[in-house]
Structures are given as structure tokens and as C-alpha cells.
Amino acid sequence: MDLKLRVWRQKNKNAKGKFVTYTANNITSDMSFLEMLDLVNIELVKKGEDPIAFDHDCREGICGSCGMMVNGRAHGPGRGIATCQLFMRRFKDGNTIVIEPWRARAFPVLKDLVVDRTAFDRIVKAGGYISAKTGGAPDGNTIPIPKPVADEAFDAATCIGCGACVAACPNSSAMLFVAAKVSHLALLPQGQLERKERARRMVAAMDAEGFGNCSNTYACEAECPKEISVRHIARLNREFLKAKLAP
Ligand code: SF4
Ligand code: FES
């Protein structure tokens, strides 16, 4: 396939960005989207030009670093995948692909497609942890937890902190991310000690970072690579309310 790419290029946080057009030639359908960008970058480097900056690490949907908007969708076409799991078979010869960074005030662009997601780290630091000593895996397994509860906690725990929920949301809300962390820990016995403080502090940290409010569009759930359900947002709201009403 030969493709036309319109890629957001921005030198640094303070520079004005713009779309630049590139061609990606001889792309095969079994290449990943990031491998296609690698090839474009090899050509740019050969020509002495600055390669397109983009975040990536695991390239198998685990680390959450490879977020970008592809044709207006967080992580591109398809459900339940990160950009690194997007394959070129979803595109056709001659297609134009528009590639942009996450757009959210709380995620400033650092360079090209790379955004600063440390706002998420600060939210987790505010309460996304437990202080109970849990021992090793065998100790954890000695605490009986009903299977449906363990499954629900695990679903929330699959959040990889990619930020697609924020990028997809028309309000740039981080509710799905915060809900996943709060829900995961609120469901497990080890998370009970800081349960109320956690909900209060993480919501306060989220608001302080400048994320918007949830208005129930469910765009976050639709674009989440781990298909985390908005029912965790309902649990976050209950946790927050209970914490606020507690003495
Ligand atoms: S909730 Fe989903 S979209 Fe949001 S950060 Fe976690 S994995 Fe990414
Ligand atoms: S590179 Fe790790 S999730 Fe995509």
C-alpha cells in the first residue's frame, strides 16, 4: 500500500504546531501502525529530517504509552486495542491517515505526538495505592474473595493509564481512569483502609489537574483499549458521595 499521512508536528511545548504531509510507501497489511511510522521515520532520518516523535514501549497493549488520535479516534479504528495493536490491514491503498496527539488541556503536547501524562501520576499519588502489607502472591490467595468481586476488581485493574478516555471525551474528563483505580481498590479487602480518603483525594487531584466533568457520553468506554465499563464511574460516584457524607 502507498498511503498519505497528515501528521501533527510540533517542536516543543511552546511552539505552534501544524500538520505536515508525508507519504508512506510499500506498507504491508501485516505491519503494525507503529512499524509503519518507524518506516516513515527511517526515510526522514535518511533525508536528514527530524523523525516524528511518538511514545511507545511494550508494543503489546500493556504499557499505555502509545496513545495518539488516528483519523479522529483515540488509538484509531477498532475496539479494545491500543495504537500498537492496530494493524495496517485496516487501511486501504491510497488512504489518507490523519495522526494527532491527544488533545486535552491537562495533557500538554511535548513534541509532535508525545503528550505529558504526568497528571495521571499525580492523581495516583494522591490516593491510588494501599498501605496494607499484602505479602507475596500466596498470602494474597489465602484471603477468600467471591469470584464476581475478584473479576470486577480485575476488570478495573486492567487500566493501562493510556489517556484515551480523556482524549475521546468531549469534556476531556478523566473519570474513567480515576474510576478504574478507585473501583479496583474499593472492591478488595486490602483497599479498605484508605477507601474514603482515596475517593476524596483522587477526585480532588483530578479536578486540580484541569480535567473536565463527565456528562455521560460514554465515549471513554467506547475508545478504552481495555474496554473498561462506565459502571466503574457509577461506583466512583457512590464512593465519593459516601466519603463526603462520612464523619
Ligand atoms: S480507563 Fe481505559 S482509556 Fe482510560 S486510561 Fe485506563 S485503559 Fe486508558
Ligand atoms: S506501546 Fe505499550 S501499550 Fe502500546
Side-chain angles (χ1 to χ4, degrees), residues 2 11 19 40 103 114 124 130 194 205 213 224 240:
D2 292 335
K11 274 196 172 18
F19 281 105
V40 172
R103 305 284 190 189
V114 179
V124 169
I130 58 165
E194 292 100 354
N213 292 321
C224 172
F240 181 71

Side-chain angles (χ1 to χ4, degrees), residues 38-224:
D38 289 339
L39 280 191
V40 172
N41 275 345
I42 288 169
E43 293 306 315
L44 289 177
V45 170
K46 276 190 205 159
K47 286 192 271 179
E49 291 181 30
D50 195 21
I52 301 159
F54 62 94
D55 255 340
H56 59 103
D57 188 1
C58 70
R59 296 201 176 202
E60 50 188 10
I62 297 170
C63 72
S65 61
C66 62
M68 60 188 80
M69 300 298 281
V70 179
N71 286 344
R73 288 192 59 184
H75 292 303
R79 289 190 81 144
I81 51 166
T83 312
C84 58
Q85 299 167 298
L86 174 64
F87 281 82
M88 296 311 294
R89 65 181 75 98
R90 289 187 182 266
F91 301 94
K92 290 194 170 58
D93 184 40
N95 275 177
T96 297
I97 308 175
V98 180
I99 311 170
E100 299 170 76
W102 288 164
R103 305 284 190 189
R105 191 175 44 173
F107 288 161
V109 175
L110 295 176
K111 187 171 184 199
D112 301 338
L113 307 174
V114 179
V115 301
D116 179 356
R117 286 180 296 121
T118 54
F120 271 9
D121 298 337
R122 289 186 289 275
I123 295 172
V124 169
K125 195 176 163 196
Y129 56 82
I130 58 165
S131 59
K133 287 194 170 41
T134 55
D139 303 303
N141 289 335
T142 60
I143 303 172
I145 299 170
K147 179 83 167 73
V149 177
D151 285 350
E152 181 75 350
F154 186 79
D155 282 352
T158 58
C159 168
I160 53 175
C162 65
C165 45
V166 174
C169 177
N171 312 319
S172 301
S173 168
M175 282 290 270
L176 193 63
F177 167 76
V178 176
K181 305 298 168 200
V182 167
S183 189
H184 159 212
L185 296 173
L187 284 161
L188 297 176
Q190 296 91 335
Q192 299 310 304
L193 193 61
E194 292 100 354
R195 186 168 172 175
K196 294 195 184 89
E197 277 305 294
R198 178 181 307 114
R200 272 200 290 257
R201 286 190 188 159
M202 290 187 79
V203 169
M206 172 180 75
D207 290 344
E209 293 292 345
F211 292 102
N213 292 321
C214 173
S215 56
N216 297 314
T217 65
Y218 297 3
C220 53
E221 181 184 285
E223 300 294 49
C224 172

